Amino acid sequence: MTRRRMPAGRALALRATMCLMPKPDPIDEISIGGDVIRLGQFLKFAGLLDSGGDAKEVIIDGFVQVNGEEERRRGRQLHDGDLVTFQGRTVRVRP
């Protein structure tokens, strides 16, 4: 069985396209030491924000996503595997 080669021009274009594709940001995993944590607490614990007041504001203003959906409840309970995104950084909740 003979292997056909891709034309050089097409291969070069394909490589250029792959280089321009954005690479996904790494997802950090944060161990919470238990089964459940509230969203506001998690933002502070994960180091995404410095204070509970800041957490309250960004959550109410809709700047935080949980599992890809906007979340405006500071008391939202997070469980193992939930993904929290704020300012382009995504972190996964781990027990």
Side-chain angles (χ1 to χ4, degrees):
M1 182 171 176
T2 60
R3 188 171 177 188
R4 293 176 40 174
R5 296 192 66 157
M6 185 180 300
R10 185 164 179 220
L12 184 61
L14 182 61
R15 270 192 228 114
T17 302
M18 290 174 63
C19 290
L20 296 176
M21 292 173 51
K23 295 180 178 147
D25 291 329
I27 297 175
D28 296 323
E29 296 195 353
I30 305 293
S31 178
I32 60 174
D35 294 329
V36 177
I37 190 169
R38 297 193 188 282
L39 179 58
Q41 293 172 325
F42 183 75
L43 290 172
K44 293 185 302 181
F45 185 75
L48 296 173
L49 291 166
D50 294 328
S51 73
D54 290 342
K56 180 179 180 179
E57 286 184 34
V58 299
I59 293 169
I60 289 172
D61 291 341
F63 295 120
V64 179
Q65 292 184 341
V66 176
N67 298 326
E69 295 183 14
E70 183 181 289
E71 183 58 65
R72 292 179 181 257
R73 296 174 294 158
R74 183 172 56 147
R76 158 82 187 258
Q77 291 190 348
L78 302 175
H79 303 273
D80 181 27
D82 283 341
L83 294 173
V84 177
T85 303
F86 174 66
Q87 289 188 333
R89 182 172 170 210
T90 301
V91 291
R92 177 175 284 132
V93 177
R94 288 295 180 208

